[in-house]
């Protein structure tokens, strides 16, 4: 494809191939099908090329992705169950040990909760071990790469200019995580019948809420802690990816003489 080798090439039937596309430059790409002998060497003369049969498309960064929906769902639940004044910051130089949380008070009306993050870390426990497949109409299917599964780590900061109010906010926030062991949202916002998906949410060791402001440091009091949302699958971002994202497959129907009776490619069927 576009001069690059596809992955997991399979012969689905005498006139149909399936493969996973490699990464490529945005735009149309030619697809070349070569017949291989038992040793994996191309058979001379048994080759066909379809010009512009595949299109690579960059992901759209403006539309709301599943990751954005998850963060918005988290913020919505905090606003609904704890406090309306919840904001998000992704500043990279935050350091809880130096009292930086006091400088975040300007981001929201007091009292307030401020989310910092998320930080993404690979999660192998919840990751899939096989290629997901979905029906694609007309008896076909779409086979995708295994998604990259991550944990989303957040720092949560509470601020107030009254000690009693801060402690009450701290208690309400602690109860939020005690009562909500999962974060739940629609699997597909455009399809209510697709059901809902749940992600584990907990406080990791060392992440418990604690008061962080020091006496005489400021008239604003603060506390902070951390929590993790586990097992989120990073797949496609929103946008027109069905015609050629590097994570999707394309089905090519070459001439029958190019399709051997056994699987071909680096990952043949048994």
């Amino acid at each position: 494809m576009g001069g690059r080798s596809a992955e997991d090439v399979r012969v689905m039937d005498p006139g149909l191939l399936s493969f996973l596309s490699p990464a490529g430059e945005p735009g149309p790409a030619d697809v070349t099908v070569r017949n291989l002998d038992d040793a994996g060497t191309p058979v001379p003369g048994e080759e066909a090329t379809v010009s512009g049969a595949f299109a690579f498309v960059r992901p759209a960064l403006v539309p709301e992705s599943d990751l954005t929906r998850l963060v918005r769902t988290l913020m919505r639940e905090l606003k609904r169950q704890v406090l309306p004044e919840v904001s998000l910051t992704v500043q990279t130089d935050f350091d809880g040990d130096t009292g930086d949380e006091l400088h975040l008070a300007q981001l929201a009306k007091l009292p307030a909760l401020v989310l910092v993050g998320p930080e993404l870390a690979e999660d192998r426990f919840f990751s899939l071990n096989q290629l997901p497949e979905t029906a694609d109409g007309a008896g076909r299917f779409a086979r995708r790469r295994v998604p990259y599964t991550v944990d989303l780590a957040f720092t949560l900061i509470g601020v107030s200019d009254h000690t009693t109010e801060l402690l009450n906010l701290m208690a309400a926030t602690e109860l939020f995580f005690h009562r909500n062991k999962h974060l739940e949202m629609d699997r597909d916002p455009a399809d209510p019948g697709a059901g809902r998906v749940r992600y584990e949410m907990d406080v990791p060791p060392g992440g418990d809420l604690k008061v962080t402001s020091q006496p005489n440091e400021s008239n604003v009091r603060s506390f902070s802690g951390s929590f993790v949302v586990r097992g989120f699958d990073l797949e496609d971002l929103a946008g027109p990816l069905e015609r050629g994202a590097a994570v999707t497959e394309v089905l090519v129907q070459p001439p029958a003489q190019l399709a051997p009776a056994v699987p071909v490619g680096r990952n043949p069927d048994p």
Side-chain angles (χ1 to χ4, degrees), residues 62-80:
V62 176
E64 189 173 63
S65 67
D66 286 346
L67 176 58
T68 305
R69 287 201 303 120
L70 181 67
V71 175
R72 289 189 184 277
T73 299
L74 172 61
M75 294 182 65
R76 183 169 59 248
E77 289 303 312
L78 283 169
K79 291 179 180 181
R80 186 173 69 89

Side-chain angles (χ1 to χ4, degrees), residues 67 119-124 126-128 130 132 144-152 199 230-236 247:
L67 176 58
E119 296 181 5
L120 278 58
E122 184 178 10
D123 185 323
R124 293 184 177 274
F126 287 103
S127 62
L128 297 176
Q130 61 183 8
R144 313 185 71 79
R145 297 184 186 277
V146 175
Y148 183 60
T149 304
V150 298
D151 292 340
L152 310 178
Y199 302 98
R230 303 187 185 278
F232 179 79
D233 290 337
L234 283 176
E235 293 188 276
D236 295 346
V247 295

